[in-house]
Amino acid sequence: MVMQKFSGSLKSVLAFSLFALLAVPPLATAQSVSFKPKGRPEQTAGGAARGNCLQVAGSQGADGNVSAPVAALIPATDGEFTTAPHPTVMVNISKSGVRQAELSLWDENSQGIYQTTIALAGTAGIVGLQLPQDAPQLEVGQRYKWTVAVVCDVANRQRDAVVEGWVQRGEMSASLTQELNAADALKQAQLYAANGFWYDTVATLAALRQSRPEDTTIAAQWQELLDSVGLTELAQEPVVSSPESEN
């Protein structure tokens, strides 16, 4: 009789425990930083470089493959969006020892707007090149072309490795602005991505990757972001401190 009572009690406890487990909602998974490009697809890969020094200046990347001396971290589209009046362009410089780059801005009619020389530390890796505060602000709704020329040989600028892309400044809603102001950096990157602002997304997450290189959560988000736009081969490259314009 005692055994029967114990058995019945055990079944009740197990049944209650199972009910409790089923009643507890699963933990919400963290929102990932993936990106759906807003620009129209282009035939060539995003961030592809041109220039004579490509023939001799390539170096072995983190994946073991020989990479071009410079590649832009942009999707393969005809342009993406930013919220910033002075946006940051992220590029990977795979060759150590490069000391100088040139950032230029053009309007849709190929008229030059601004150009600045940027001193580099000579360290291979991903860097952010920001349009300086004294440069003209990007106007909302206008498309701009930017170019980054990595100076491989100061004595022969025709050998520069050059990447280019297009950027358009978009306008943020009041609700998005409020959300961004209340969010931490990772959440900000997620919000930028969800609202189609590529340049802000990649710059924000790159800053986190640079400041917290051992953080596995940030590393996974960085990998997912670059995977989502076809830049998987750059995900293992180090993010290094961004240089300042010499102007």
Side-chain angles (χ1 to χ4, degrees), residues 55-68:
Q55 305 301 320
V56 296
S59 61
Q60 192 175 68
D63 58 2
N65 296 321
V66 175
S67 54

Side-chain angles (χ1 to χ4, degrees), residues 11 26 48 55 64 102 105-106 114 150 160 187 203 220 223 239:
K11 288 180 181 179
Q55 305 301 320
E102 191 173 75
L105 188 68
W106 317 75
Y114 187 82
V150 170
D160 288 1
K187 181 61 177 177
Q223 179 79 53
V239 181

Side-chain angles (χ1 to χ4, degrees), residues 47-51 53-54 70 147-150 157 159-164:
R50 65 178 189 273
C53 75
L54 296 178
V70 60
T147 61
V148 172
V150 170
R157 292 295 306 277
R159 297 184 59 239
D160 288 1
V162 182
V163 288
E164 64 184 44

